[in-house]
Amino acid sequence: MSELLRDLIFDYTLRNVALGSALLGIVSGVLGSYAVLRRQGLLGDTLAHAALPGICIAFLITGSRAQIPLLLGAGIAGWVGTMILLLIVRRTVLSEDAALGIVLSTFFGFGVLLLTFINQRDDANQAGLDKYLFGQAAALIESDVIIFAILGGVALALVLLFYQEFKLLTFDPEFAGSLGFGTTKLSVLLTSLIVVAVVIGLQTVGVVLMAAMLIGPAAAARQWTDRLGVMIVLSAAFGAVAGVVGAVLSFTEERLPTGPTIVLALTVIVFASLAFAPARGLVWEWWRRRQQRRAWALEVARLKAEGHVR
Amino acid sequence: MSSAVAVPLTGVLVASACALLGSFLILRRMAMMSDAISHAILPGLVAGYVLAQGPNLFAGFLGASLAAAVTVTAVEALKRTRRVDAGAAIGIVFPAMFALGTVLVTWRFSDIHLDADAILFGNIEFVAFDTFVFNGQDLGPQSVWVMSGLCLLNLLFIGIFYKELKLTTFDAGLAAALGFSPAIVHYALMLVLSITSVGAFSAVGAVLVVALVIVPAATAYLLTDRLAVMIPLSVVIGAVAALIGYRVAIAVDASIAGAMVSAVGVLFGLALLFSPSQGVVARAWQNRRNRAVIASQMLVVHLFNHEGAPDSEEESSVEHLSDGLRWSPARTDMAVAGASRRGWVVRANGHLELTEPGRETARLVLAR
């Protein structure tokens, strides 16, 4: 145990992986809270998939694997995907559910087309883009962690700055609008911040598992509290814990890939919270129901014994 | 059978089998559920292969169907607890299943060809080499047999249960009242979807299956309101996209599955823009037309109100109209052009004069 702690601090690889995963957990935990409360959890899934063609196009334009342009491409593509999503939902008979699936799958398909085209064309850079699919948390280096910290820091600062506005937008958008807040602008800002979380997540857990990073911590935290501030802090903590646990487990057991391990750790937290959180926990509810049934049965038995009912 | 035949044929069969189910999934708002299932079958598929000690088709189908059943049940159960909403329930279950599948693959199956690329993109490129051998006879590519079977299965499923599917889709309450069980239909549809996903999975991968399931149907829905038209139309759209995608992929030397999905995305985009009833362009055109008609009607009402009044001379002069109505010159021109074309006004030395039909129109508008 103490050896593990020492590795966590002094082992270059493990420290970066754990720090990067924890940062992702914190940022996606905070932004996921808003997404889940606004019932937009799956938007993150769509944004993550929609980012792939952006990464590929940025690579085709710049011809290099430099981080910043690729992340910018991912962000722009995610944003374009959101606009098309809104167009479909507002202008056609198709439901939001269908629109999410359509944008997700077609953008990703186009991304796969571009990715294989790039891989076919120049082998030298090949390994570079594939990592966004499954994420390569294990390959995070110090410069990645620094970029994560800057991106995440900016996102969290904006959340803090607009805390009241986002709160109002989340719980009563009509009221927010009537008070003169630009709800559309706020909504776009919040979605853009989720794009930032997705951009961090793509490199760590990859396209498919990003949904879990946004939804899991928030859904778990929601069970423990009814207060937004507490929920956000808890959600960030759950995200960070899952990130570190996943990093450590995959470090000690070589055959465990980091991204999936983080998600599985997170899933355990979610189900534990659903079962055991005070007040909302399903186990407690089951226990209360059982007690009530017993009390009721006893009461009926007493009434029968006393001849009040037959 | 050569690759040049086997690959596009498989593509068309995969797209058709998927598209057959799409209409119901779109109408039941289960697009993201289909996405979840196509990802969540992974651990079942791998577990099946582990138990069969190799990529055995039947074991794969069985494992994947079980995984799909687990996923659907878990999502429904999570929703019923009312602790999380439907979207979050899906977003909790399928990544967990997919992560489990990925861990299983790296743990037990680093040697078989279920590698990362195959999971996400499939490998339709190689279907011609995996042939179905029976009694020592080569009966052609396995994928063609499997996907033909799935097309037939889905066709039979829809054909036999069309009434039940339609009723539970559009009015679950009435269906239940009439004695059809919406739950049984729901799970049956999920079962057929998961079997189709497994079949399509090996050809086009986990993420792209869902594109072939829902996007052709969504495209068809933009073009028709009738279910009986929507289903065949979506199959045609899927098949056409598969063929276009195949040609494009060969031309640019890239993933066939990716190109198929890109093609279906382009077809959806075209419908989104140009559908006669719902397309963005059609709507914009309709709005513009409505604005023009209303402007022309307001013009004749304006002229009608001032007709015979002392200021009629000034109010009907073409130059003054923009000021009098506080309209932009462009809008005024549009209104004058529209009204003249409809024969409501005639120009006479710089003034507009109402015709009899024009007066009639003004009276009608005012009487509304």
Side-chain angles (χ1 to χ4, degrees):
Chain A
M1 190 65 210
S2 65
E3 196 181 333
L4 198 62
L5 206 63
R6 205 181 58 219
D7 282 347
L8 205 51
I9 299 167
F10 295 111
D11 187 279
Y12 178 82
T13 314
L14 178 59
R15 190 183 58 205
N16 285 328
V17 175
L19 260 180
S21 309
L23 274 171
L24 167 65
I26 292 169
V27 176
S28 57
V30 170
L31 292 163
S33 298
Y34 291 106
V36 165
L37 288 172
R38 299 178 77 204
R39 297 172 177 262
Q40 289 184 335
L42 290 175
L43 182 62
D45 192 28
T46 297
L47 290 175
H49 284 79
L52 185 64
I55 293 173
C56 294
I57 290 172
F59 178 81
L60 283 172
I61 292 172
T62 62
S64 87
R65 279 188 286 153
Q67 284 270 308
I68 307 286
L70 295 189
L71 298 186
L72 198 65
I76 292 173
W79 193 77
V80 170
T82 315
M83 292 302 117
I84 294 180
L85 182 85
L86 285 178
L87 181 74
I88 297 173
V89 173
R90 292 193 180 160
R91 294 291 172 84
T92 71
V93 287
L94 293 166
S95 64
E96 190 181 2
D97 166 74
L100 282 168
I102 291 163
V103 172
L104 180 157
S105 59
T106 54
F107 269 60
F108 190 76
F110 184 51
V112 168
L113 179 70
L114 291 174
L115 189 67
T116 47
F117 174 67
I118 291 169
N119 283 352
Q120 221 68 265
R121 213 185 43 156
D122 53 4
D123 285 325
N125 281 310
Q126 181 169 342
L129 299 185
D130 286 4
K131 73 174 179 195
Y132 293 100
L133 294 175
F134 280 92
Q136 278 200 341
L140 289 180
I141 53 174
E142 206 165 344
S143 65
D144 293 326
V145 176
I146 292 171
I147 291 178
F148 287 6
I150 295 170
L151 283 175
V154 171
L156 294 187
L158 283 168
V159 169
L160 214 56
L161 196 64
F162 288 97
Y163 182 74
Q164 296 296 346
E165 284 86 347
F166 285 162
K167 192 177 185 177
L168 203 53
L169 179 74
T170 302
F171 291 109
D172 200 342
E174 278 89 28
F175 184 53
S178 75
L179 288 182
F181 291 108
T183 47
T184 312
K185 279 183 198 158
L186 279 176
S187 206
V188 169
L189 177 62
L190 196 51
T191 307
S192 311
L193 293 180
I194 294 176
V195 171
V196 173
V198 165
V199 161
I200 296 176
L202 286 181
Q203 272 194 73
T204 316
V205 298
V207 168
V208 178
L209 300 179
M210 193 50 220
M213 294 309 294
L214 280 165
I215 295 172
R222 175 68 190 90
Q223 311 310 319
W224 296 81
T225 176
D226 288 332
R227 300 185 57 83
L228 179 65
V230 181
M231 175 177 164
I232 289 176
V233 173
L234 262 181
S235 174
F238 287 152
V241 168
V244 174
V245 168
V248 169
L249 279 182
S250 67
F251 179 78
T252 46
E253 169 57 70
E254 217 167 83
R255 283 181 304 178
L256 280 178
T258 313
T261 312
I262 295 174
V263 169
L264 290 177
L266 193 54
T267 309
V268 172
I269 297 179
V270 171
F271 280 102
S273 301
L274 281 168
F276 300 115
R280 281 168 68 102
L282 293 169
V283 170
W284 312 141
E285 190 188 69
W286 171 80
W287 182 253
R288 273 195 302 272
R289 288 251 170 99
R290 199 177 113 110
Q291 298 292 81
Q292 277 167 6
R293 263 201 310 275
R294 286 197 162 180
W296 178 238
L298 274 177
E299 184 68 10
V300 171
R302 189 181 63 81
L303 289 173
K304 273 185 181 164
E306 292 174 4
H308 297 294
V309 289
R310 267 178 294 165
Chain B
M1 202 182 283
S2 73
S3 280
V5 180
V7 176
L9 183 58
T10 305
V12 168
L13 289 170
V14 170
S16 308
C18 289
L20 273 169
L21 300 175
S23 298
F24 292 108
L25 296 164
I26 286 285
L27 292 170
R28 291 165 158 252
R29 307 194 166 200
M30 289 177 60
M32 292 308 282
M33 193 68 208
S34 329
D35 184 45
I37 287 178
S38 68
H39 286 85
I41 57 178
L42 184 63
L45 196 64
V46 180
Y49 287 1
V50 170
L51 291 177
Q53 296 181 332
N56 178 302
L57 200 65
F58 180 70
F61 272 117
L62 202 65
S65 305
L66 276 176
V70 168
T71 307
V72 177
T73 316
V75 170
E76 297 295 331
L78 273 178
K79 275 197 273 187
R80 258 202 315 276
T81 65
R82 298 160 140 263
R83 301 298 195 269
V84 292
D85 70 287
I90 291 174
I92 289 168
V93 174
F94 91 81
M97 296 289 280
F98 192 77
L100 195 64
T102 321
V103 169
L104 273 178
V105 170
T106 41
W107 215 341
R108 294 298 301 267
F109 262 96
S110 26
D111 48 337
I112 71 152
H113 57 254
L114 240 187
D115 60 320
D117 282 10
I119 292 171
L120 284 184
F121 316 155
N123 38 20
I124 193 170
E125 281 81 358
F126 308 116
V127 291
F129 308 118
D130 201 1
T131 55
F132 184 45
V133 182
F134 185 72
N135 263 351
Q137 265 204 310
D138 185 347
L139 295 177
Q142 198 179 4
S143 66
V144 172
W145 284 98
V146 172
M147 293 319 300
S148 304
L150 286 177
C151 278
L152 195 65
L153 173 76
N154 292 352
L155 210 55
L156 283 175
F157 176 68
I158 292 179
I160 294 172
F161 298 109
Y162 186 73
K163 190 174 55 185
E164 287 81 358
L165 281 165
K166 190 174 177 179
L167 194 57
T168 51
T169 299
F170 290 109
D171 195 338
L174 178 65
L178 291 175
F180 299 105
S181 164
I184 290 179
V185 176
H186 176 77
Y187 280 95
L189 183 60
M190 290 297 95
L191 180 69
V192 176
L193 174 65
S194 58
I195 294 173
T196 308
S197 297
V198 188
F201 185 92
S202 55
V204 296
V207 187
L208 304 182
V209 172
V210 67
L212 296 181
V213 173
I214 62 171
V215 183
T219 311
Y221 196 20
L222 292 179
L223 301 172
T224 178
D225 294 333
R226 297 183 48 82
L227 183 60
V229 180
M230 187 175 163
I231 296 171
L233 188 58
S234 56
V235 173
V236 171
I237 291 168
V240 168
L243 290 176
I244 296 174
Y246 174 71
R247 297 303 291 270
V248 170
I250 296 299
V252 301
D253 194 13
S255 155
I256 294 172
M260 280 166 59
V261 174
S262 301
V264 84
V266 169
L267 294 182
F268 176 80
L270 289 175
L272 182 63
L273 288 177
F274 301 114
S275 151
S277 56
Q278 303 191 45
V280 173
V281 172
R283 288 260 168 109
W285 176 252
Q286 190 71 38
N287 281 344
R288 204 187 125 87
R289 224 183 104 81
N290 286 346
R291 270 204 305 278
V293 171
I294 289 169
S296 307
Q297 287 175 342
M298 284 177 75
L299 175 68
V300 293
V301 168
H302 174 75
L303 294 173
F304 183 72
N305 279 341
H306 290 278
E307 205 168 41
D311 59 356
S312 75
E313 187 78 0
E314 193 193 349
E315 291 295 335
S316 66
S317 89
V318 178
E319 280 95 69
H320 178 75
L321 273 174
S322 264
D323 294 337
L325 288 162
R326 297 209 172 81
W327 282 356
S328 68
R331 191 170 177 202
T332 313
D333 288 347
M334 184 175 74
V336 172
S340 324
R341 203 174 54 244
R342 290 180 177 81
W344 293 343
V345 295
V346 287
R347 262 172 206 266
N349 51 44
H351 290 270
L352 291 175
E353 272 173 27
L354 280 173
T355 59
E356 199 42 51
R359 283 191 200 96
E360 189 51 37
T361 307
R363 279 188 209 105
L364 275 175
V365 171
L366 288 170
R368 266 185 211 153

